[in-house]
Amino acid sequence: MKAINIKDKHALFTKQWHPHRIATVDNMQILLAKVKGEFVWHSHEDEDELFQVIKGTLYMQFRDRTEVVKEGEFIVVPKGVEHNPCTKNDEEVHLLLFEKSSTAHTGKVQAKLTQTIYPDI
């Protein structure tokens, strides 16, 4: 049991759209990610996802609207809701994600950005 510095952990990697696990809480995982540009439209049938913006501005696209999530804010995407996170103006955004360990990165969608393994840092 040690304190985890989120900023220091973000400094350990550069790859975008590739989450890294920093902790596990019961059957939940806490991930860090750096994102830039547009991701992949997808949903998760059985899992909610929490996206907290540590640095920058995230645009969470839904089919009927886009929610702007600013630094220090978070958004919860309920299970079954199709979504597509993205950034604008070439900005790199730093995220903390909280989700079940069973959550597939892009749900049932297989895409170039899909990751199957989240390294621990």
Side-chain angles (χ1 to χ4, degrees):
M1 293 182 290
K2 291 183 177 182
I4 296 172
N5 184 297
I6 293 169
K7 187 176 181 180
D8 289 350
K9 291 289 187 178
H10 263 117
L12 296 176
F13 64 95
T14 58
K15 193 170 183 180
Q16 295 166 353
W17 300 111
H18 192 252
H20 291 71
R21 186 176 16 256
I22 60 169
T24 302
V25 179
D26 290 330
N27 68 339
M28 306 293 288
Q29 58 188 352
I30 301 171
L31 306 166
L32 295 182
K34 293 180 179 180
V35 300
K36 185 177 180 180
E38 191 157 333
F39 192 48
V40 176
W41 280 101
H42 67 287
S43 64
H44 306 280
E45 289 183 17
D46 300 311
E47 300 97 1
D48 299 333
E49 283 185 295
L50 181 145
F51 294 77
Q52 180 179 1
V53 177
I54 304 300
K55 176 184 171 188
T57 301
L58 181 70
Y59 297 84
M60 186 61 72
Q61 299 177 100
F62 299 103
R63 290 297 183 183
D64 63 342
R65 70 188 188 289
T66 298
E67 290 290 328
V68 179
V69 189
K70 298 177 183 173
E71 194 168 305
E73 297 179 335
F74 70 87
I75 188 168
V76 175
V77 178
K79 63 185 113 213
V81 175
E82 195 174 19
H83 59 287
N84 183 22
C86 69
T87 70
K88 294 188 178 180
N89 302 320
D90 210 34
E91 179 183 30
E92 181 177 78
V93 175
H94 294 191
L95 300 174
L96 179 143
L97 308 164
F98 190 67
E99 60 189 30
K100 287 182 182 177
S101 296
S102 61
T103 304
H105 192 221
T106 53
K108 291 185 176 181
V109 174
Q110 290 298 311
K112 183 179 178 182
L113 293 174
T114 300
Q115 302 298 316
T116 57
I117 297 173
Y118 301 146
D120 291 320
I121 56 170

